[in-house]
Amino acid sequence: MHPILKLLVQRIALGLLLLLAVSAVIFLGVEALPGDTAQAILGQSATPQALENLRAQMGLDQPALTRYFSWLGGVMTGDLGKALTNGVDIAQAIGQRLGNTLFLAGCAAAIAVPLALILGAVAARYAGRWPDKVISAVTLTTISLPEFVAAYFVIYLLTIVFPVFQPVAIVFPGMSFWAKLQAVALPVIVLVMVVLAHMMRMTRAAILNVMQSAYIETAELKGLSPMTIIWKHAFPNAIAPVISVVAINLAYLVVGVVVVEVVFSYNALGQYLVDHVTKRDLPVVQAVGLIFATVYIGLNIIADVTAIIANPRLRHPK
Amino acid sequence: MSEKLDWMVARARAGKMSRREFIGRTTAMGVSAALASALFTKAAMAEPKKGGTIRVGLAGGESTNTLDPALAASVVPQVGNAQWGEQLVDMNPDGTIDFRIGEEVSSSPDSKVWTFKIRQGVTFSDGKPVTAEDVMATFKRHTDENAQSGALGIVKGITDMKAEGDKLTLTLDAPSADLPYLLTDYHLIIQPGGGYDNPNAGIGAGPYILETFEPGVRYVLQKNPNHWDPNMGHADTVEILSINDNTARTAALQSGQVHMMNRIDPKIAQLLAGAPGVEVRRAVGRGHYVFIMHVDKAPFDNNDLRTALKLAVKRDEMVEKVLGGLGSVGNDFPINAAYPLFDDTIPQRTYDAAAAKAAYDKSGHDGSPIILRTAPGAFPGAVDAANLFAASAKEAGIPLQIQLEPDDGYWTNVWNVQPFCASYWGGRPTQDQMYSTAYLSTAEWNDTKFKNAKFDELLMKARAELDDTKRKADYSEMAYIVRDEGGLILPMFNEFVAGIRAAEIGGWIDDPNAEMMNYRAPSKCWLV
């Protein structure tokens, strides 16, 4: 078997084991939270009798282990179950929201990744001079703002002062692609602001690291232009660390943007998860948790494998 | 007074009030006859416009919501349900009964047997006629424990129901002069067959027909062409967006993405009132913010200590700082002028450091800190209010100490469990219902553990009393008991603060019954 294929299989198997562990941890975590679904639903209006009825109806009177394994059995056979709170089919509800999550993450990544690489290369080209300083200062400022502050800032600037976009980013089936893009414009801007600096700094650092090598000196002596040297000779050798940082940021765009979703009322997975954690709706929390874990693990596997492919020394081990 | 005037103008506009009646009632309020006449002409001419899409941005929606009216507990489903659903009876802004599916009502002299006449020719959105059987089945479902209805406490006193032709007869276990008011509860939306087959069907007889429902995201509703009431359902389409973030919701109103919004943050209400195109509308409601003491647990089992704490609240300051002035001071009983039969002669309790100190000394408390638990979600501004309370108590020499609790699990672990905490109550349509819900000895939600035989006796007596003068006297006596002996510290009544795009929305009335014109703003308003 090709060593890379073998590695891939190993990683995926390990990933599946990790997912199992994650599901157990999520289950324990939600169990450990004070109160249960019945109490969370009834809230201020809970009476002992109502609690008992609701628990029996939702199967919460079963022991925790029984509930975990029956859930696990369901997932193995492709059945995520129904939400305890409103009886909506989880797979169906998640399907649409996952699409929205990926749409937002995709739009943000499509802007942020190329922009970060270009800015990183430019900053490396002019290292220590004003373009480098400007790029660093701006991106460090945007990453330092908490997401909700950045979000309020763009809402104020782009819906009140210059009414170009809409503050509420709700998307729904039947919207044209263009209308969807317009709806998510503000959250995309905020997310780009948040993830840009990390990727840009890593690109810059990795390129600068390679720029010290002897072969770059040779290229300079050949009379190549600095940008050509960076793109053709430095960047391919600097790509491994950049890929892993890009992967982390992509994963963040999928799983970590709940604050941005809430501020813009964007109907994606993060808000869905938070609502159901509040209500202790375990099957939903489990399902969304698994999806998030899968995204994280999957992106990390991809990052590792591409880093290996990109490095001849790892690609052809002795 | 302006609310009342607004309401009468709207009634005149809707053709529900004659010129004679309008002028008679407005002049009784002190409006000159000439002005009243002019007002009526103007009102009668301001015909609602038809068509367009009204967009509403609301806080209070979760992706865990359902369409089952029995389970509605937050504003987005409450408003959503009120568009596609219709009730037997509803409340008018002036506190009278608005007859909906029920056309008229009569009761036996002992107010134990009530008969409703069901409006004929009304249909559900699936085309079936609304019958007395449907109404009866709806009430039956809400009395079923398994339906988990929020209205269970209201309908469980109905011991027998009978549907005959267009008559529905309800027999109660005990006399209640307030039954029609109780049945205005927002959970009691009439569903075909009572909603037994599918409580989540979203089929009702309201002014709109549900087209799309995404829990915690949005409702889209289209005008019901067969709705019986021409005064509701002016726009062709209603779109309700769930926008929980205050800033985004406010920006959506300012930028015109929505035409109306609820829950303007009191801190920005004044600023927003100056924004172009936006009007801030306030309705004095019956909801209130409270600090509750368990009267059966030490040290709160001592009435002197309770009195000391009640005297140590700077109520005006709290209304000013916590509610931004958008509210009114409370008097430690859960009733205000928004209720019928309110006794306004009961003296207002105010901050009195000396009297508080005296009562505290008399209580013989050992000086250990008195713990008040609060959380940001107990009510908006609950932490600030608790801190103000602690500061004013300290001035009076009472060692009140704040303990901050997490929002998550607050209603499970703190409220009704810990002896002293911050909480809130929404109002009820009548005094009887408010007192029966939380102050009767046997009430399930008696969150101050208040048990007073005299009070219970008065409550039962007033409930059956048809003479309003005697009833008012009973309620007044009950108010004194709760105020002077209860575990309730009620520093303020809050207001419903909504925002509308004034130039685009017509027909808005400040309705004290509930948020967003008693949830019916989208179907009562129109696009100008």
Side-chain angles (χ1 to χ4, degrees), chain B residues 156-483:
Chain B
K156 74 177 175 195
I158 304 174
T159 48
D160 186 49
M161 306 184 201
K162 210 162 57 193
E164 273 174 318
D166 64 349
K167 294 277 196 300
L168 174 72
T169 308
L170 307 175
T171 309
L172 308 182
D173 58 357
S176 170
D178 279 342
L179 183 78
Y181 288 96
L182 300 185
L183 298 180
T184 62
D185 187 273
Y186 61 83
H187 297 99
L188 298 174
I189 282 173
I190 313 299
Q191 292 176 283
Y196 271 105
D197 302 339
N198 177 11
N200 292 309
I203 294 172
Y208 286 91
I209 297 173
L210 185 69
E211 185 182 85
T212 308
F213 167 60
E214 287 179 63
V217 182
R218 61 180 200 137
Y219 287 72
V220 181
L221 305 116
Q222 302 294 350
K223 188 173 163 52
N224 177 0
N226 302 320
H227 191 57
W228 59 275
D229 184 354
N231 299 309
M232 285 179 99
H234 303 299
D236 290 334
T237 309
V238 166
E239 205 178 321
I240 300 166
L241 302 176
S242 166
I243 314 174
N244 289 323
D245 186 86
N246 281 342
T247 309
R249 196 167 65 257
T250 314
L253 182 74
Q254 276 184 282
S255 65
Q257 195 177 359
V258 298
H259 296 109
M260 45 177 88
M261 66 172 273
N262 67 341
R263 297 202 192 153
I264 289 180
D265 184 345
K267 293 191 190 83
I268 63 155
Q270 290 230 314
L271 293 170
L272 194 63
V278 173
E279 192 181 349
V280 175
R281 299 298 296 249
R282 305 161 48 180
V284 182
R286 306 182 180 103
H288 42 275
Y289 297 154
V290 295
F291 299 107
I292 43 179
M293 305 175 276
H294 288 179
V295 298
D296 59 351
K297 292 200 187 86
F300 308 104
D301 51 357
N302 182 327
N303 195 34
D304 290 319
L305 184 78
R306 297 202 294 271
T307 308
L309 286 166
K310 287 173 187 175
L311 287 165
V313 190
K314 289 184 176 164
R315 293 154 204 265
D316 292 315
E317 183 189 39
M318 243 182 233
V319 170
E320 207 46 52
K321 291 188 176 156
V322 177
L323 299 178
L326 305 175
S328 50
V329 293
N331 200 9
D332 299 332
F333 63 99
I335 305 300
N336 64 356
Y339 283 91
L341 308 177
F342 169 71
D343 180 3
D344 57 8
T345 61
I346 300 174
Q348 173 65 46
R349 183 168 282 142
T350 52
Y351 179 70
D352 187 336
K357 177 86 178 110
Y360 176 73
D361 289 342
K362 191 174 162 220
S363 77
H365 186 66
D366 59 6
S368 59
I370 299 167
I371 308 290
L372 170 61
R373 282 159 221 266
T374 184
F379 59 80
V383 177
D384 297 343
N387 278 311
L388 289 173
F389 187 8
S392 57
K394 198 175 164 200
E395 275 177 46
I398 300 172
L400 187 60
Q401 194 177 316
I402 308 296
Q403 182 163 327
L404 199 59
E405 300 279 347
D407 275 351
D408 197 72
Y410 187 79
W411 303 113
T412 313
N413 306 320
V414 180
W415 177 78
N416 232 349
V417 177
Q418 297 294 344
F420 193 21
C421 73
S423 178
Y424 74 95
W425 275 100
R428 296 291 186 274
T430 62
Q431 297 201 34
D432 176 73
Q433 204 186 346
M434 188 67 238
Y435 283 131
S436 315
T437 309
Y439 301 92
L440 186 66
S441 298
T442 52
E444 273 163 353
W445 299 323
N446 186 340
D447 59 6
T448 53
K449 316 293 172 203
F450 179 66
K451 291 185 172 61
N452 185 304
K454 173 79 180 149
F455 177 90
D456 292 357
E457 189 189 308
L458 280 167
L459 184 61
M460 291 308 139
K461 180 166 159 265
R463 184 178 287 177
E465 180 61 68
L466 289 171
D467 180 340
D468 277 353
T469 319
K470 286 186 194 153
R471 218 170 166 206
K472 186 172 173 179
D474 291 340
Y475 284 140
S476 174
E477 203 178 335
M478 285 156 61
Y480 274 105
I481 296 176
V482 172
R483 174 181 177 271

